[in-house]
Amino acid sequence: MPGPPAGAAPRPAPAAPVTPAATPTAPAPAAPSPVAAASTDPARWGRVDAEGTIYLITAEGERIVGSWQAGAPEEGLAHFARRFDDLLTEVELLTARLAVGGGDPKHALSSAKTLRDGLPEAAVIGDVAGLRARLDGLVAQAEQSVGAARSARDAQRAAAVARKEELAAEAEQMAAEATQWKQAGDRLKAILEEWRTIRGIDRKTDEALWKRFSKAREAFNRRRGSHFADLDRQRAAAKARKEELAAEAEALADSTDWGPTAARYRDLMTEWKAAGRAQKDADDALWQRFRAAQDAFFARRTETFNERDAEFVANAESKKALLAEAEKIDLSDPDSARAALRTIQERWEEIGKVPREDIRPLEARLRAVEDKVREAADRQWRRTDPEAEARVAQFRDRVAQFEAQAEKARAAGDTRRAEEAQRQADQWREWLRTAEQAVQGR
């Protein structure tokens, strides 16, 4: 085979493409490579003929890898041996990265296959068979790593999908059921923040899950907005009603109709509680108005009642003094006693009311005096009753009449008629004594 002109640059045979990873970017592996470096003994792996053609010696025979015209033949062998060592270094770097989990296993697999596929045409001198075996092992190892990485990605994707499904379901539940609006709103924000950190889901699945979450969030926002709109309407109605109640309370503040007004204030308080709550600032202001009016009325009522109670206490003392006077009325002259009692009763009514707890005891004492005066008058009447006196006189006359008949019959010797008349006289005398006792006992 004719070679290049003497002194020309080496003309290498077609070589396998070299990937960017050929440039060492990490330290060489600590363990020695099972493939021997070619530069230590290039003649072991190749030869140069008289025309400068470089041959690679393999178990299958020789293969031309290039020619060398730039210097001594040994330099040509060394040159192609160094190129082999460069490939070996790249393979070992790939092997080391794969072993420690550095880099992308898929990229390592691609690089290893590219190097292996390029070996039959590589312009190198060295243990190409050993390097191929090394690359076969690297490819197998990279394929395992790619499979493991794929499984890990699948597991990660499944976990990410499951987590987003959990978050979407939680959002949907809150959208349908939540009533703690502040807490639920904060939780949806937290879900959104977590959602943004979850990666590794295919676009179609991710978009479907996002639609679920977004729809749930929008439903929650609509329901929350509707709730607060209703709440605003309720608060506006409560404010209007409480303004009416506050105005009525203020109108009643100067009333002196104590009982009915106090009852109305109790009703107003019940209506106030039933009206619901307005906005806090408005509700507080209206309550101050209502409470101030109520306090003013009850303060006036308390002052009035205190004054009245003091007056009632004084009245009770006056009635006690009057009772002491009434209890000393002389009952021996019922007419004078009745006149004195009438005067006391008139003064009693003029004094006025007393405390509630004194009413019964004082009236009981007055009734006792009235009863005594009435009993004295009754006794006097019974003693001077004309009918009773007439009956006594009648009985006395009948006694005298029958005794005269008895005396006349005895004088005539009529014993029977005398005894009969005497019995009649004795009977009427008994009746006379009874009548006289009745008159004297009245």
Side-chain angles (χ1 to χ4, degrees):
M1 175 184 297
R11 179 170 51 85
V18 179
T19 63
T23 302
T25 57
S33 173
V35 181
S39 57
T40 58
D41 187 10
R44 178 184 175 186
W45 310 105
R47 69 181 182 83
V48 182
D49 63 10
E51 295 177 353
T53 301
I54 308 297
Y55 294 88
L56 171 65
I57 301 173
T58 67
E60 293 80 14
E62 295 182 342
R63 175 172 65 83
I64 298 174
V65 297
S67 64
W68 183 263
Q69 305 295 328
E74 294 77 8
E75 292 177 359
L77 282 179
H79 169 74
F80 286 97
R82 285 193 298 270
R83 296 188 65 178
F84 176 87
D85 290 349
D86 290 341
L87 284 179
L88 177 60
T89 299
E90 184 175 355
V91 170
E92 296 304 328
L93 286 173
L94 284 174
T95 302
R97 289 195 194 100
L98 199 59
V100 299
D104 180 9
K106 190 174 181 179
H107 178 267
L109 176 61
S110 176
S111 298
K113 285 182 176 181
T114 299
L115 291 173
R116 185 181 65 179
D117 293 344
L119 276 182
E121 303 297 331
V124 295
I125 294 296
D127 186 4
V128 173
L131 184 59
R132 180 179 180 83
R134 184 67 164 160
L135 282 169
D136 286 341
L138 178 59
V139 167
Q141 184 180 356
E143 286 175 345
Q144 288 182 349
S145 297
V146 167
R150 183 181 300 110
S151 298
R153 284 195 303 271
D154 290 344
Q156 182 181 6
R157 176 187 176 282
V161 170
R163 181 55 182 158
K164 283 196 173 181
E165 286 177 342
E166 290 175 0
L167 296 176
E170 183 181 354
E172 288 166 343
Q173 183 177 6
M174 285 190 292
E177 302 175 5
T179 55
Q180 299 295 323
W181 307 109
K182 175 69 168 60
Q183 296 177 6
D186 291 344
R187 178 55 188 154
L188 283 174
K189 291 180 181 177
I191 288 176
L192 180 59
E193 292 300 319
E194 182 180 354
W195 190 282
R196 290 170 175 166
T197 64
I198 299 173
R199 299 285 188 270
I201 303 176
D202 62 278
R203 184 170 181 176
K204 182 179 179 180
T205 303
D206 201 47
E207 287 179 352
L209 289 171
W210 172 253
K211 287 180 180 179
R212 282 182 59 188
F213 172 72
S214 181
K215 182 179 179 181
R217 187 171 59 164
E218 290 172 1
F220 170 80
N221 289 334
R222 283 195 304 271
R223 199 160 63 84
R224 180 175 60 178
S226 177
H227 166 79
F228 283 109
D230 290 342
L231 187 61
D232 288 342
R233 285 191 292 271
Q234 293 171 10
R235 287 174 174 173
K239 179 182 178 183
R241 179 58 182 147
K242 287 187 173 181
E243 285 175 344
E244 295 174 357
L245 297 175
E248 183 176 351
E250 290 167 341
L252 292 173
D254 295 329
S255 173
T256 56
D257 195 4
W258 308 115
T261 303
R264 180 55 186 156
Y265 269 117
R266 287 192 293 270
D267 292 341
L268 288 176
M269 178 62 75
T270 300
E271 294 174 27
W272 183 279
K273 293 177 180 178
R277 288 190 61 82
Q279 290 288 349
K280 188 177 186 307
D281 52 350
D283 202 70
D284 290 345
L286 288 169
W287 171 248
Q288 292 301 323
R289 284 178 56 191
F290 180 88
R291 186 62 181 271
Q294 181 178 251
D295 289 347
F297 167 79
F298 283 104
R300 289 176 50 253
R301 188 184 73 157
T302 299
E303 182 180 358
T304 300
F305 282 7
N306 288 340
E307 293 174 357
R308 186 188 66 181
D309 291 345
E311 179 184 349
F312 286 2
V313 170
N315 291 346
E317 294 302 320
S318 298
K319 286 190 175 182
K320 289 176 182 178
L322 197 58
L323 283 170
E325 182 181 339
E327 289 165 347
K328 295 178 182 179
I329 291 177
D330 185 2
L331 301 178
S332 62
D333 184 356
D335 292 336
S336 297
R338 282 197 298 268
L341 179 60
R342 282 195 298 271
T343 301
I344 287 174
Q345 288 171 333
E346 291 172 357
R347 291 163 60 192
W348 182 277
E349 295 299 327
E350 291 174 356
I351 290 174
K353 297 180 179 181
V354 299
R356 183 184 300 272
E357 63 272 14
D358 291 332
I359 293 176
R360 289 187 177 181
L362 293 176
E363 289 184 348
R365 288 179 62 185
L366 181 61
R367 281 195 300 271
V369 173
E370 292 172 344
D371 290 343
K372 289 179 181 179
V373 172
R374 184 168 50 255
E375 290 173 359
D378 289 344
R379 284 194 300 272
Q380 182 188 35
W381 180 83
R382 285 194 299 271
R383 283 195 302 269
T384 59
D385 185 359
E387 292 182 1
E389 294 295 337
R391 283 192 298 273
V392 171
Q394 182 184 7
F395 290 165
R396 190 177 291 115
D397 289 342
R398 295 302 295 272
V399 170
Q401 180 184 351
F402 282 116
E403 284 183 345
Q405 290 178 1
E407 184 62 31
K408 185 177 178 179
R410 279 193 295 269
D414 190 346
T415 303
R416 185 186 62 78
R417 290 184 64 187
E419 290 177 354
E420 179 65 26
Q422 188 60 51
R423 283 196 300 273
Q424 290 289 336
D426 291 342
Q427 180 64 56
W428 280 99
R429 186 177 289 108
E430 183 65 29
W431 288 344
L432 172 62
R433 283 197 298 269
T434 302
E436 288 175 342
Q437 290 174 357
V439 171
Q440 292 173 0
R442 287 181 295 185

